[in-house]
Every structure is written in C-alpha cells, then in structure tokens.
Amino acid sequence: MKVIILFGAPGSGKGTQAEKLSEFTGLAHLETSKIIEEGFAKADPNDKKILEEKKRKARGELTSPKMFAGWFNKKVDEVKAISKGIVTSGSMRTVEETEIILPKLEALYGRDNIKMVLINISEEESVKRNTHRRVCKLNKHNIPSADYNPDFANITHCKYDGSPFIYREDDKPEIIRKRYGVYTKETMPVFGYLKDRGYNIIKVNGEQRISKVFENICKHLT
C-alpha cells in the first residue's frame, strides 16, 4: 500500500498508531493538527479569516474544509518526492474535504493503494483519554493516558524531539464532548461517501492496549 488513512474520534489513538505505522512501513506521517498549526504559522497573523479559524479551533470546531484541504494537498505534494507514501491521522474529516483530497491521493498513488482504517471508541472513552493525555511541547507528539500506557508516569520528555510533555489547553471535558459531537455529525458521513465509491473501511476496536490495536491494524493491512 502507498496510503493508509486512519479515522477515529478524538482520543482514539490515530496519531499514536500513525507514528507506529510510519516507523514500521517508512511512510510519511501527515498529522492533521500539525498541518493546521503550520498553516496558521505561515499565514498573516492579522488576517481576519485566520483569526476566525483559530477561534473555531479553540471552540472545538473544525477548520474550514476548503482551507484545510488546500493545506493538506500542498503537504502531500511536498512529501511525494521524499517518501514512498503517506499515513494520515485525522484526515479526511468531512465529505467536502474528501471530495477535494481523495482525487488527489488517487491520482498520485492509485486507488488500489489506498487503505482506510477506522479506530472505534465510545464518547466516554474519548473524554476519559483526552482529559488525561499529554503532548510534547515542541511538535505535539501524543503520550496516551496511564490506562493504555503503563510507562505514563515515568515519561517526561518526547522520544522524537526531546521536548517536555504538557497538557493541551483544549483537552477539557466540555470541549472534548463538543469535538466528539462534531466528529459524529461531520466525519461519520464520510464513511458512507467512501462506501458509495467502493472503498472498504477496516474497523478496529480502539479500546485496547496500544500494541493490540497496532497488531489488529497490521493484520488487516497485510
């Protein structure tokens, strides 16, 4: 495969599993949150549209589909020359995004080389995980909560960039519940859209140990 697309609610472990898959396969990891942060950083800080998008993000809402899809497709072009393929975490988030992003991926990598994986968790599990997890300060690499990572208490710095782990400001119960609601309303319709286009979405139980989820994903991809 050349493209692995990971779907899942907030806290489902998309980022963690994408990092593991990237290491295992050599595919470049394109993480939605980092693409958005990079897009914000490169934009004019006084741009009214960007300021409104930042407010949307702080409220737990999605970045405008057309804006994000443009950033995503540009990032795909950047990594095409240096990687044999990509694994994504958090994209595609809406049908509108999918209509812009999927044709790009199909044209570059071929329809048969694109695999879709849905990591399922409940709303309560999403809230529990997000309010207890930490991310590294520099690049927002995720360290899952103690329930799914026995070394949680002993890890203070990120193994990828060495920066300290912190709690995210938007990982509050009320924000997470809103984000889960957005996921249900905006992202779940994407699965029907993909099914209509002939794609099979692999479903994996995300409420397991990280290693078990990874094992299940790999078993379905081989």
Side-chain angles (χ1 to χ4, degrees), residues 115-119 200-204 216-217 220-221:
K115 304 297 181 183
M116 314 276 188
V117 179
L118 170 59
I119 305 174
N200 174 49
I201 300 178
I202 299 163
K203 297 180 181 179
V204 174
N216 289 347
I217 291 173
H220 285 291
L221 291 176

Side-chain angles (χ1 to χ4, degrees), residues 76-125:
V76 169
D77 285 331
E78 290 175 5
V79 302
K80 182 67 170 63
I82 60 175
S83 174
K84 62 182 181 180
I86 61 173
V87 53
T88 77
S89 57
S91 304
M92 300 151 297
R93 306 170 305 165
T94 69
V95 171
E96 187 176 357
E97 281 181 12
T98 306
E99 291 173 337
I100 300 171
I101 291 172
L102 189 58
K104 175 81 170 182
L105 297 178
E106 290 177 340
L108 288 178
Y109 296 103
R111 180 189 182 92
D112 292 340
N113 293 321
I114 301 174
K115 304 297 181 183
M116 314 276 188
V117 179
L118 170 59
I119 305 174
N120 277 315
I121 64 170
S122 67
E123 179 176 356
E124 291 308 312
E125 185 68 15

Side-chain angles (χ1 to χ4, degrees), residues 15-16 19 29-38 41 57 75 89 133-143 157-166 168:
T16 298
E19 288 288 351
H29 177 197
L30 298 189
E31 187 172 355
T32 296
S33 60
K34 291 181 182 178
I35 293 174
I36 293 172
E37 288 174 6
E38 184 177 316
K57 183 175 183 296
K75 182 60 68 173
S89 57
R133 72 175 177 178
R134 292 179 293 166
V135 297
C136 73
K137 187 174 183 179
L138 186 60
N139 287 303
K140 304 299 186 292
H141 293 118
N142 177 52
I143 176 172
H157 289 74
C158 179
K159 69 176 182 178
Y160 298 107
D161 57 43
S163 65
F165 281 106
I166 60 174
R168 283 175 38 160

